[in-house]
Amino acid sequence: MPEPLHALIPRLREICGADGVVTDPAARRTYESDGITYHAAVPGVVVLPTTTAQVAAVVRLCAEHRVPFVPRGAGTGLSGGALPRTDGVLIATSRMRRIIEIDTANERAVVEPGVANLDVTRAAAPHGYYYAPDPSSQQVCTVGGNIAENSGGAHCLKYGFTVNHVTGLVVVTPAGEIVRLGGKAADAPGYDLIGAFIGSEGTLGIATEITVRLVRAPQKVSTVLAAFDTMDAGGEAVSAIIAAGVLPAAIEMMDALSIAAAEAAVACGYPPGAGAVLIVELDGPEADVDAQFDEVTRLCRDAGAFGIRTASDAAERARIWKGRKSAFAAVGRISPAYIVQDGVVPRTALPQVLRDIARLSAESGIRVANVFHAGDGNLHPLVLFDDAEPGAGERAAQVSGAILDLCVGAGGSITGEHGVGVDKACQMPEMFGPDDLETMDRFRRAFDPDGIANPEKLLPTPRLCGERPRVNKGAHPLVAEGRAELF
Amino acid sequence: MPEPLHALIPRLREICGADGVVTDPAARRTYESDGITYHAAVPGVVVLPTTTAQVAAVVRLCAEHRVPFVPRGAGTGLSGGALPRTDGVLIATSRMRRIIEIDTANERAVVEPGVANLDVTRAAAPHGYYYAPDPSSQQVCTVGGNIAENSGGAHCLKYGFTVNHVTGLVVVTPAGEIVRLGGKAADAPGYDLIGAFIGSEGTLGIATEITVRLVRAPQKVSTVLAAFDTMDAGGEAVSAIIAAGVLPAAIEMMDALSIAAAEAAVACGYPPGAGAVLIVELDGPEADVDAQFDEVTRLCRDAGAFGIRTASDAAERARIWKGRKSAFAAVGRISPAYIVQDGVVPRTALPQVLRDIARLSAESGIRVANVFHAGDGNLHPLVLFDDAEPGAGERAAQVSGAILDLCVGAGGSITGEHGVGVDKACQMPEMFGPDDLETMDRFRRAFDPDGIANPEKLLPTPRLCGERPRVNKGAHPLVAEGRAELF
C-alpha cells in the first residue's frame, strides 16, 4: 500500500468502523475490476460507509491529503468507470442499501445508492408501481451505479434513461460538502445540476440519497415476436411502426448469427430460417394496447414477417424474451471470446450502418453478431474471435473500433448506455471538439479542482491518451466472457 | 451611454451591421423590461445578431472589455430574467427566426433561438407532429427564452418541461466560444450540460441553435369540465384521477373568485354556483382516451361534480378553455391591480396549502384568486389589490411572499415555471443552504469567471440581497397589468 494511504487507515477506521475498512490484499483484489475485466487495478484501500456523513468524512479526508477516490456500486459497469486506483480509496456503497421511503401519493421512492435497481420495483410493486429504467443487470446493479452511468435498458425507448427518472439527490462533492439537489417536485429553481450529475461517472462526487419517480404498472403488456428474411425487412417494420405513431415499450432486434447462438444455448424456438427477429413490446391501458397490437402485427406482416408469435401473460412473455436475454451469454457457445460494443445511430441510419457492419465483417473475416435496441438506434454488436489465435483480439478490437467510427460518422455516438469510463475516454475527441471538451473539463474542475474524484475517467487526459488526446482504438485485448446477467 | 460601451459601438456595427445595433434612446427604452414591468432599466446598447458567429463575436467583445451582456427573446418572461443593464449590451434574438430543419424521420426540429414556440408546432403540424411544451405565451415567446427559463405550460403534467424536449444545443459561452452540446440522439456521452444549461436564465451563455423533440399529434383529444361545491371536493377528484393511474395531458383548477372574474370578462358559461371548476384534458390513441374519459367523469361524479361538460372537437374544447385562458386578464375586471405568484407544492400538499392561502387571505383582508396546474401542484395565486390605495401594494406583496413561504414549507418550491430571474434571486436561500448555493455559484463561475453573463440574475448576490443574502419579500410594488397572452 502506498505510504500516504497507509497514514489514512486509522482515520478511515474512525469514520467507517474497523469492519468498514478493507486492507487485506486478497479482499482488496476482489474489487480489481468492474464488468469489463481487461481493465484491472487493486485498490489501495476499500471503505464501506453506511451513511452520508461517513461518505462526506471519507471524501474530506481524501481532499485534505489529495488522495484520489473511486466510487463503486455493484461493479457491473461495462466501461471501467469503477476501475480502482492503487494509489486511492475505493468507496463502495454496498452497505448503503436502505429503501428510505416509498411515497406512492407523490409517486416517488427515496433510496440509498447501494440499493439494487430491481429492489426499488420490488418495494413499489405491492402498491401498483415500478421503477422504469431496466438495465439487463437490474437484479444486481445499484441505483447509485445507474446514476453514475445514466443507465438505460430495453424499455428506454418509451420510458427514457435514468436521468428522466431522478428528481432529487443528496450528493457528497469532491470537497466533501453535502449538497441537496432537487427533491420530490418535477422541477427545481436554479441550475439543473441533477441532469449534469447523472452520467458524470463519479467525477463530480457521490450520490448518497436518491429520489426517483415511480411509474404506475401498466394495465396490460403485450409482446410480439416476428421473423423476417433479412435485417432490412426487419428494419422496415421498425420504421413503419414508429411512422405510424406507435411508441412501443421496447423494440429489440437480433440477426441470424445471434439467433443461432441463442437457439444453441437455450432452444428458444424462434422461427427457423429467420434472417432477423424483432420483439415488440406494448404496454399501457388495455384498450390502447389492444388497438396498437393489431396495428403492429399488421405492419410487421406488411414488411414480410413470418412466424409471428404473441404473448399476453408473463410466462409466454418470458419465453419470447428468453432468446433475447440469453443472446450475449449464448454467443459464448459459438465463439471462444467476443467484444461487446455499445454505439448509437439515428434510427433512420440503422439500415445503412447495419449494412456497413456486414461489409466490415466480410472484409475482415471477423464475425459480428447484432443484438440491439432497434427503437432508439442503440447497437450492441458482438465482435467474435478466438483468443487462442495470436493477434485475433487486436483484429477484433480494430473491427469493434471501426464500428464506433461508423456510428459517429452516421451522426451517432460512442456509447448508448454503457458509459465512457476509462474504456472510451480517449475516443471522446471523435465526438467533441477541443472547445467542447474544454467546457466539460472546466465544469469538472469547478467541482474538483485537485482532480481527486475518479480521475482519468470520462474525459481524455494526456497521460491516458497521449499529448494530443486522440483515438486509441484497439489498444486493449478486449475480451468479455459470457455474462448473461449483465446485458 | 456609459463611456466603455460607447467605445464598443463601432465594433458592434462591424459585427452586426449598422441596422443590427440600436443606440437611439427611445428605441432602447422599448427593451426596458420583460413581462414583469416593475423591474426596468434601459439597456446601454441593443444588438440584433443574425448568426451564431455574430453572437460569438459580440460576446467575445464583451468578454474582452468586461462589459456585461443580457440575452433576450420575446421579453415575455415573468421573473425579470431579461432585465437589461444600463452598463451592458442587450443581445436580442429577434432576427434569428429560422426553422432550420423539420426532421420527422428522427422526430426532431432544429431552430434558431428567436423562433416563436408556436411556430415550431405550425411547421411540424403538416407532418402530424407538434412541439409539446406550451407556455400560455406560446404565440409570442421564443424557444430561446423557453430554454433560458425551462418553460412549462398546462400540458407539462404529461409531457414535461422544456428540458425534457431538447436534445441538442449550439451554445455561445460567456467567453465567446461556440460549443455543441448533444445532437439528435436521446443521450450523449459526457456531462449532460444541456440539462444544466436549460433553465440557466442566460447566465451560462446564449443558445443559438436548438434541436427539439417533435411529438406525434395525438389521435384523439377529449376535454372534461366539472364543477364542485368546494376546492376540497375538486382536489379530491384530482387525487382520485391520479390514484387511478390516469395521466391526463392537463388538469387545471380555478376557484370561485377566478371563475367569477372569467365569467364577468368572457361569459364562459361555467356552471353557476361552482366553488371550483376542474378542466381535465386527455389525449392519446382513441381507444385509450375513450376508456379513460369514462373513468375520469365517473371519478369526478364520485367526488361530487356537477354540471359536467365534455368536448371532443376543437371548437367545443376552445369554449371550455376560454374561461381558464382568460382568467388572468379577467382578474383585471374585478381588481385594479394584482400580483401573479408562481409556486409549487407536492400534489399531496395541495388541499392544505389552499386552505392556508384562504386563511392568509381572510386574515389580511386581501383577496386571492387561485388558478393553477392542479396535476403537478403548480400554483398561480393572484393577489388582488387597489394600487390607488397607499400601502396596498406592499401589503399584497407581503401576502404573495407569505404564499411562497407556505409552498417552501410544504416541501415545494419558489417557482414552478416562471423562473427566478431578478425577482426571486434573493429568495433562493429560502430553498437552498450555503453549500448548495456555493455549488451553483462555482458552476456559474466555471463558465463565467468575470460575471458578465446576465449578472445578478438567478443567484443571490450581496449587492442585490444584502451582505448575508436573505429573503427580501415585499420590496417592490408588484403591479401586473392584465396581459392575457402571457399566462
Side-chain angles (χ1 to χ4, degrees):
Chain A
M1 185 183 307
E3 199 46 48
L5 274 184
H6 208 81
L8 298 190
I9 304 295
R11 293 187 58 190
L12 289 172
R13 290 208 174 105
E14 275 167 37
I15 296 166
C16 299
D19 61 341
V21 180
V22 182
T23 56
D24 173 65
R28 280 187 284 127
R29 186 166 296 279
T30 60
Y31 296 93
E32 72 178 358
S33 72
D34 59 12
I36 46 169
T37 50
Y38 50 85
H39 298 287
V42 178
V45 59
V46 181
V47 295
L48 309 166
T50 56
T51 64
T52 297
Q54 287 184 7
V55 174
V58 169
V59 171
R60 273 197 304 273
L61 191 63
C62 290
E64 218 176 276
H65 295 266
R66 308 232 169 158
V67 163
F69 66 88
V70 175
R72 179 187 166 103
T76 55
L78 289 166
S79 55
L83 177 72
R85 304 269 305 195
T86 52
D87 61 346
V89 178
L90 186 75
I91 303 177
T93 58
S94 50
R95 300 206 303 181
M96 298 180 77
R97 303 186 77 101
R98 272 196 315 143
I99 291 176
I100 298 165
E101 189 186 1
I102 297 288
D103 173 2
T104 52
N106 287 307
E107 305 187 312
R108 297 287 184 273
V110 184
V111 304
E112 289 186 336
V115 170
N117 173 297
L118 195 60
D119 285 347
V120 183
T121 289
R122 286 197 182 110
H127 308 281
Y129 285 89
Y130 74 110
Y131 177 55
D134 61 337
S136 299
S137 55
Q138 67 177 150
Q139 296 192 317
V140 186
C141 67
T142 65
V143 177
N146 294 170
I147 281 174
E149 301 298 330
N150 189 19
S151 303
H155 295 80
C156 286
L157 171 63
K158 181 168 179 177
Y159 292 101
F161 295 83
T162 299
V163 72
N164 303 115
H165 293 272
V166 175
T167 60
L169 289 175
V170 172
V171 165
V172 173
T173 70
E177 287 167 346
I178 298 166
V179 168
R180 186 173 285 275
L181 306 175
K184 287 184 180 175
D187 185 50
Y191 300 116
D192 174 18
L193 294 176
I194 293 183
F197 189 87
I198 293 172
S200 66
E201 306 194 353
T203 61
L204 303 181
I206 303 179
T208 57
E209 189 187 299
I210 299 149
T211 304
V212 299
R213 286 178 211 282
L214 295 176
V215 177
R216 176 62 64 156
Q219 193 182 3
K220 184 165 186 179
V221 182
S222 286
T223 309
V224 185
L225 175 89
F228 298 86
D229 284 330
T230 62
M231 292 288 274
D232 269 8
E236 217 174 277
V238 173
S239 296
I241 291 165
I242 300 288
V246 176
L247 182 59
I251 309 184
E252 300 286 307
M253 202 161 161
M254 294 168 67
D255 69 2
L257 189 54
S258 55
I259 297 168
E263 206 59 65
V266 299
C268 51
Y270 288 174
V277 297
L278 207 60
I279 298 174
V280 183
E281 189 153 281
L282 299 162
D283 68 4
E286 186 162 5
D288 184 9
V289 169
D290 291 348
Q292 294 194 334
F293 185 83
D294 294 342
E295 192 163 8
V296 165
T297 50
R298 185 178 58 73
L299 292 170
C300 284
R301 276 203 192 89
D302 290 352
F306 60 93
I308 292 180
R309 273 166 52 190
T310 61
S312 52
D313 69 32
E316 288 174 9
R317 223 166 31 243
R319 276 195 294 279
I320 284 184
W321 277 101
K322 194 176 179 188
R324 165 65 184 88
K325 292 205 168 170
S326 68
F328 284 71
V331 164
R333 295 259 177 160
I334 60 165
S335 178
Y338 61 91
I339 299 165
V340 181
Q341 190 45 282
D342 168 46
V344 180
V345 297
R347 188 168 50 230
T348 45
L350 263 181
Q352 184 59 48
V353 170
L354 288 169
R355 281 192 291 269
D356 290 343
I357 291 174
R359 183 182 45 73
L360 259 180
S361 170
E363 285 173 7
S364 63
I366 288 175
R367 291 184 301 167
V368 179
N370 285 292
V371 180
F372 57 98
H373 309 313
D376 44 15
N378 187 185
L379 299 169
H380 289 312
L382 301 162
V383 183
L384 315 191
F385 66 100
D386 181 352
D387 51 352
E389 190 191 318
E394 287 67 22
R395 285 198 304 280
Q398 269 162 12
V399 169
S400 178
I403 291 175
L404 274 201
D405 291 344
L406 289 175
C407 293
V408 173
S413 151
I414 57 170
T415 169
E417 54 189 12
H418 296 175
V420 176
V422 70
D423 200 44
K424 292 181 174 175
C426 298
Q427 286 168 303
M428 289 288 274
E430 279 207 353
M431 284 197 64
F432 297 103
D435 280 356
D436 302 334
L437 290 169
E438 166 62 24
T439 299
M440 291 195 200
D441 190 53
R442 220 182 300 148
F443 175 60
R444 178 182 199 153
R445 279 182 286 119
F447 293 93
D448 182 21
D450 295 327
I452 61 167
N454 212 11
E456 304 197 325
K457 311 287 169 65
L458 190 59
L459 295 182
T461 64
R463 201 191 73 84
L464 205 64
C465 312
E467 257 321 310
R468 285 185 55 209
R470 49 189 297 258
V471 184
N472 193 18
K473 277 188 297 286
H476 307 290
L478 309 181
V479 184
E481 297 91 1
R483 284 186 311 276
E485 77 284 6
L486 297 183
F487 305 98
Chain B
M1 187 184 306
E3 200 46 48
L5 274 185
H6 208 81
L8 297 190
I9 303 297
R11 291 187 59 189
L12 290 172
R13 289 209 174 104
E14 274 166 39
I15 296 165
C16 299
D19 62 340
V21 180
V22 181
T23 55
D24 172 65
R28 281 187 283 127
R29 185 166 297 279
T30 60
Y31 296 93
E32 72 178 357
S33 72
D34 60 11
I36 46 168
T37 50
Y38 49 85
H39 298 288
V42 177
V45 58
V46 181
V47 295
L48 309 166
T50 55
T51 64
T52 297
Q54 287 185 7
V55 174
V58 168
V59 171
R60 274 198 303 274
L61 191 64
C62 289
E64 219 175 275
H65 294 267
R66 308 234 169 156
V67 164
F69 67 87
V70 176
R72 178 187 167 103
T76 55
L78 290 165
S79 55
L83 177 71
R85 304 269 305 194
T86 53
D87 61 347
V89 178
L90 185 75
I91 302 176
T93 59
S94 50
R95 300 206 301 182
M96 298 180 77
R97 304 187 77 102
R98 271 196 316 144
I99 292 178
I100 298 166
E101 189 186 0
I102 296 290
D103 174 2
T104 52
N106 286 306
E107 305 187 314
R108 296 288 184 269
V110 183
V111 303
E112 289 185 335
V115 169
N117 174 297
L118 195 59
D119 284 346
V120 184
T121 289
R122 285 196 183 113
H127 309 281
Y129 283 88
Y130 74 110
Y131 177 56
D134 61 337
S136 300
S137 55
Q138 66 177 149
Q139 297 193 314
V140 186
C141 67
T142 64
V143 177
N146 295 169
I147 281 174
E149 301 298 330
N150 189 17
S151 303
H155 294 80
C156 287
L157 172 62
K158 181 167 180 179
Y159 292 101
F161 295 83
T162 299
V163 73
N164 304 114
H165 293 271
V166 176
T167 61
L169 288 176
V170 172
V171 165
V172 173
T173 70
E177 286 165 346
I178 298 167
V179 169
R180 186 174 286 275
L181 306 174
K184 286 184 179 175
D187 186 46
Y191 300 117
D192 174 18
L193 293 176
I194 292 183
F197 189 88
I198 294 172
S200 66
E201 306 194 352
T203 61
L204 303 181
I206 304 180
T208 58
E209 190 186 299
I210 300 149
T211 304
V212 298
R213 285 179 212 282
L214 294 177
V215 177
R216 175 65 58 159
Q219 194 181 6
K220 185 165 184 179
V221 182
S222 287
T223 309
V224 185
L225 174 90
F228 298 86
D229 284 332
T230 62
M231 293 287 275
D232 269 8
E236 219 174 274
V238 173
S239 295
I241 291 166
I242 301 288
V246 177
L247 182 58
I251 310 185
E252 300 286 307
M253 201 160 160
M254 295 167 66
D255 69 1
L257 189 53
S258 54
I259 298 168
E263 206 60 64
V266 299
C268 51
Y270 288 173
V277 298
L278 208 60
I279 298 174
V280 183
E281 190 153 281
L282 299 162
D283 69 5
E286 186 162 5
D288 183 9
V289 168
D290 290 348
Q292 295 194 334
F293 185 84
D294 293 343
E295 191 163 10
V296 165
T297 50
R298 185 179 58 72
L299 292 169
C300 284
R301 276 204 191 86
D302 290 353
F306 60 94
I308 291 180
R309 274 165 52 189
T310 62
S312 53
D313 68 32
E316 286 173 12
R317 221 165 34 244
R319 276 196 293 280
I320 285 183
W321 277 101
K322 193 177 180 188
R324 166 63 184 88
K325 291 204 169 170
S326 68
F328 284 69
V331 164
R333 294 258 178 162
I334 61 166
S335 178
Y338 61 89
I339 300 165
V340 181
Q341 190 47 282
D342 168 48
V344 180
V345 297
R347 189 168 49 230
T348 46
L350 263 181
Q352 184 58 48
V353 170
L354 288 169
R355 281 193 291 269
D356 289 345
I357 291 174
R359 183 183 44 73
L360 259 180
S361 170
E363 285 172 9
S364 64
I366 288 174
R367 293 182 300 167
V368 179
N370 285 292
V371 180
F372 57 99
H373 309 314
D376 44 14
N378 186 185
L379 299 169
H380 289 311
L382 302 161
V383 183
L384 315 191
F385 66 100
D386 182 352
D387 51 353
E389 191 190 316
E394 287 69 22
R395 286 197 303 280
Q398 272 162 11
V399 169
S400 176
I403 291 174
L404 274 201
D405 291 345
L406 288 173
C407 292
V408 174
S413 151
I414 58 170
T415 169
E417 54 187 12
H418 295 175
V420 175
V422 69
D423 200 44
K424 291 180 174 175
C426 299
Q427 285 169 305
M428 289 287 275
E430 279 208 350
M431 284 198 64
F432 297 102
D435 280 356
D436 301 335
L437 290 170
E438 166 62 24
T439 299
M440 291 194 200
D441 191 51
R442 220 184 298 148
F443 175 59
R444 178 183 198 150
R445 279 183 286 119
F447 293 94
D448 183 22
D450 295 327
I452 61 166
N454 213 10
E456 304 197 324
K457 311 287 168 66
L458 191 59
L459 296 182
T461 64
R463 202 191 74 82
L464 204 64
C465 313
E467 257 321 311
R468 287 184 53 208
R470 50 187 299 258
V471 184
N472 193 18
K473 280 189 294 286
H476 307 290
L478 309 180
V479 182
E481 299 91 359
R483 284 188 311 278
E485 76 284 5
L486 298 182
F487 304 98

